[in-house]
Amino acid sequence: MPDTELVFTLIGPGWTARLLVEEPPPAEPKRVGFAVPAVDDDPAPLHVDADVVFTTARNLQVEPRGWPRWHVKIYRCATQGDADNLLRFLIRQTEFVQRANRALGAGNPMRPPWGVVPVQILRGDWLSQAVGGAYPTQLGEEVREMKRTAARFPSWYAPDMLAAARTLLAVSPYVDEIEWVDRYHEDPVTEHLRRFTGLAAGLDAMHRNDIAHCDIKPANVCRVTVADDSTAYVLIDVDAAIRVTPPPRFPRFTPTYSYGNLRRFAAEARHHDRKVPAGVLYAQDRFGFALVLLSALGGYHWVRGSLLYEGSGPPGRNRNADSHHLAVRELESRFPGERWERLRAVLGEAFSQQIEDPEWPTAGWVARLIAAAETPGEPGPHTDRGQEYTEDVRQVWRRAREHTQTGVELVEDGYRAAVAQAQIVARRTARRIMTTVALAITGITVVLAFGAVVLGK
């Protein structure tokens, strides 16, 4: 007998989604701990653990410009009390997202522009949505109807109604993961910069609303296609988002991508009752954002290996990224030359304490990066070497074609002319330049060989 399908329908003004949730692939659940306030802004949070699994859903009722696929994150709690507390916490997190996206001018919350992908939180037995009629979703609409299409749940989801009530779902439009790759060219991939403008504006909007994401890293940045079919980057996963007023004690973050001063606060919090200032939490977001942007410009593994490598020393002081001076040194090594001097100077701002200023604009920083990339410094002398040796190339061609020849003779004379001219250049230039030019001039013999084949036919 086939298993029951998990299908539910969301209906709001102007949109409908009928989602078939797919069985998650075989994998161990991820245990995640949450510091959940017993009452909003209570300084003594509750600790709630949940087993988290990830899957997707297909939209069986796709509308024009609707989302055919959805992402589904399933939380399984041990007790009903944990599930109720986590439900309240996650709904508040998604309200943060809705507020920030509205500030970007998202008229329809189901469509970009977004700073953060919008999320709908559901209780696993749907009962909370049925109580009191319409339920305000975190997509900014009112749900008119939520229903199950079967009398029981699929076996992979929940064995009974009690287990379903201890289950929560976070449902969001599906966006594409970014494949972070290594980059070996010296020049930064500056064409990616404009894709970060919407994300930066969304981050500023969150900060204006006293909200910090706290966990910005490459895995939490995805790609979405916007109205003009261009690509933009957006944030996902607001589980760690937090209000900065009143100052919190226990922000959640990924240590690898954490800001140095936040690492120090976390280390000292084990021994002292310290609250984290808003500026440090905003800096945590800006620092993580800068690392993601640099992963696009210079390569994911370069960021991990050079800026984030953990050396000896206390937390928050043992990485190149924890020092403005050392971070700038790594930038000079990765993007050398006068051409990128202005870009490096702006990039270096993200590794200074000025990012703790609540008024420091992430969107303004990205705009300065774009301007620096479009008006780079004067190119170094090495970029004009082709023009410097143009006359030498002409001499090779002239000597090779001084006499009427067969194809084979043209190749032989061309090779001798190339070698002779390379020796002249070698006497005129430094050894380093000689190697480059010799290779370039010798390459002419390939052209001559091709010409010889044509002449010989």
Side-chain angles (χ1 to χ4, degrees), residues 6-312:
L6 183 64
V7 179
F8 59 88
T9 304
L10 300 178
I11 302 176
W15 64 273
T16 300
R18 185 166 178 265
L19 304 183
L20 169 62
V21 182
E22 298 170 332
E23 181 176 354
E28 286 295 320
K30 178 183 178 182
R31 175 59 62 95
V32 180
F34 299 88
V36 178
V39 180
D40 283 358
D41 303 324
D42 190 317
L46 301 171
H47 184 80
V48 175
D49 286 324
D51 289 332
V52 179
V53 296
F54 302 90
T55 185
T56 56
R58 287 189 292 117
N59 192 349
L60 305 178
Q61 191 171 333
V62 181
E63 299 173 324
R65 296 184 64 192
W67 296 92
R69 296 182 67 203
W70 291 62
H71 181 80
V72 181
K73 190 174 182 179
I74 302 173
Y75 305 81
R76 293 192 173 102
C77 298
T79 69
Q80 189 61 56
D82 283 354
D84 292 341
N85 284 322
L86 185 58
L87 175 65
R88 175 174 49 80
F89 171 78
L90 292 176
I91 286 177
R92 189 179 75 163
Q93 303 300 91
T94 56
E95 288 170 349
F96 296 163
V97 172
Q98 181 182 351
R99 199 182 311 165
N101 285 343
R102 277 201 304 264
L104 295 178
N108 184 336
M110 293 287 287
R111 300 186 185 120
W114 299 326
V116 188
V117 175
V119 181
Q120 166 68 53
I121 304 298
L122 310 174
R123 184 169 139 167
D125 57 4
W126 325 139
L127 291 181
S128 61
Q129 280 74 32
V131 175
Y135 183 80
T137 81
Q138 281 60 60
L139 295 175
E141 308 285 0
E142 291 184 353
V143 172
R144 307 301 186 191
E145 176 186 0
M146 299 189 68
K147 61 185 180 181
R148 297 200 316 275
T149 58
R152 62 187 181 88
F153 297 103
S155 56
W156 62 263
Y157 177 70
D160 52 44
M161 186 65 75
L162 291 177
R166 298 193 299 269
T167 301
L168 307 176
L169 295 90
V171 187
S172 59
Y174 192 91
V175 290
D176 295 318
E177 295 181 1
I178 298 173
E179 183 180 357
W180 301 99
V181 299
D182 284 332
R183 304 193 183 280
Y184 301 103
H185 199 277
E186 285 185 351
D187 291 346
V189 190
T190 54
E191 59 265 30
H192 289 301
L193 286 173
R194 292 191 179 277
R195 297 176 180 176
F196 284 95
T197 55
L199 196 160
L203 194 58
D204 286 342
M206 291 183 72
H207 292 172
R208 285 194 299 271
N209 284 279
D210 295 332
I211 304 158
H213 185 282
C214 288
D215 198 23
I216 298 179
K217 55 187 178 182
N220 282 344
V221 175
C222 288
R223 182 174 55 244
V224 66
T225 302
V226 295
D228 61 356
D229 291 330
S230 62
T231 296
Y233 294 150
V234 292
L235 285 169
I236 62 170
D237 196 349
V238 292
D239 287 357
I242 196 168
R243 289 187 65 181
V244 302
T245 52
R249 287 184 175 86
F250 306 103
R252 286 180 57 225
F253 56 87
T254 300
T256 301
Y257 290 92
S258 58
Y259 176 58
N261 276 351
L262 182 59
R263 288 158 67 93
R264 290 193 282 274
F265 267 96
E268 294 168 3
R270 300 188 187 100
H271 310 289
H272 309 284
D273 184 16
R274 298 199 64 183
K275 297 180 180 180
V276 184
V280 172
L281 292 171
Y282 293 155
Q284 161 72 4
D285 284 353
R286 295 157 180 165
F287 179 82
F289 178 90
L291 294 173
V292 172
L293 185 145
L294 278 168
S295 295
L297 292 187
Y300 172 85
H301 289 288
W302 168 70
V303 170
R304 292 290 297 260
S306 65
L307 292 171
L308 299 178
Y309 174 75
E310 297 274 357
S312 59

